[in-house]
Amino acid sequence: MSGPSLGLAQDVEEEVRSFMTQRDQEIKDAVRGMKTDPSLREVARSLINDQIDFEEMGKRSLGRYYEDLTPEERQEFIEVFGGIVRSQSLGDLSVYEAPVSIESVAINGDQATVNTTAEIREDELDVVYHLHRKEESWWLYDIVIDGVGTVEGYSVSFQTFLRKRGFEAFMQSLRKKLAATED
């Protein structure tokens, strides 16, 4: 790659780097602020979740089962699944307070992979973010921490449940889990 296309790729890489750096700093600021101002809890939750593409994450988690769902079933699944992920996002605040360094950014069309290192409780963890461009913005759809991916983790349990018990039982289980997190 040379000339204009190399410059364009570098611009996109810088755009992704900037997005990740700004997002990280905003989350850190809100999480720190929560300690003195509990009203910032919802601000922090929004900052953590608002650039996650729950539709893409859910679609990848369900794999082939996603295609079998009606549009209404897909919508309900994404709403409930997104609600569960949102409610759990403030479980371990040390993850968001950890120093993070971006090691590399790889762009492939409308997809990006950002490799980072986070220092959490004196351990260095490799954290890989998978993003895609949607509606002129970058959206996260998978986070892989030390080789364990969010999508992969959900995928194994979701697909096993769907195969054994079917969609309605699966949704009933997710609704119950969401209700328990909202208490």
Side-chain angles (χ1 to χ4, degrees):
M1 202 184 322
S2 64
S5 56
L6 177 61
L8 183 60
Q10 289 171 334
D11 289 348
V12 174
E13 179 182 326
E14 187 51 42
E15 178 185 334
V16 170
R17 241 178 226 282
S18 177
F19 165 76
M20 293 298 293
T21 302
Q22 181 178 347
R23 180 179 183 274
D24 181 58
Q25 190 57 55
E26 288 173 351
I27 290 169
K28 280 179 173 40
D29 291 346
V31 167
R32 275 190 217 107
M34 280 173 40
K35 293 175 180 172
T36 55
D37 182 356
S39 71
L40 290 177
R41 185 171 183 78
E42 285 312 307
V43 171
R45 188 184 315 273
S46 288
L47 288 168
I48 291 164
N49 292 290
D50 283 355
Q51 284 303 123
I52 296 177
D53 185 345
F54 292 110
E55 181 178 6
E56 187 67 20
M57 183 184 280
K59 183 178 183 179
R60 289 172 182 256
S61 295
L62 291 184
R64 67 180 179 82
Y65 294 98
Y66 188 82
E67 298 307 317
D68 296 337
L69 303 179
T70 67
E72 294 78 18
E73 289 171 329
R74 288 178 184 175
Q75 182 178 350
E76 182 187 13
F77 164 68
I78 298 305
E79 286 174 11
V80 173
F81 171 63
I84 291 168
V85 174
R86 283 178 187 281
S87 68
Q88 296 173 341
S89 64
L90 293 177
D92 182 3
L93 296 179
S94 65
V95 169
Y96 305 112
E97 295 174 308
V100 175
S101 58
I102 296 176
E103 304 298 328
S104 66
V105 176
I107 307 295
N108 185 3
D110 283 347
Q111 305 284 317
T113 302
V114 180
N115 292 290
T116 70
T117 303
E119 191 177 314
I120 302 173
R121 296 183 207 97
E122 299 176 22
D123 288 327
E124 276 199 0
L125 299 177
D126 294 323
V127 182
V128 179
Y129 297 90
H130 295 282
L131 304 91
H132 68 141
R133 184 184 290 283
K134 177 178 161 184
E135 301 164 0
E136 301 303 313
S137 295
W138 288 99
W139 293 81
L140 295 156
Y141 65 83
D142 195 14
I143 301 166
V144 181
I145 300 174
D146 270 355
V148 180
T150 306
V151 168
E152 181 182 22
Y154 284 123
S155 182
V156 170
S157 62
F158 286 2
Q159 291 182 38
T160 300
F161 195 112
L162 284 163
R163 186 174 55 254
K164 291 180 177 179
R165 305 219 16 231
F167 183 73
E168 192 45 51
F170 171 68
M171 285 306 300
Q172 190 172 12
S173 172
L174 287 184
R175 284 186 216 102
K176 193 176 194 178
K177 185 171 186 149
L178 179 59
T181 63
E182 292 174 336
D183 292 339

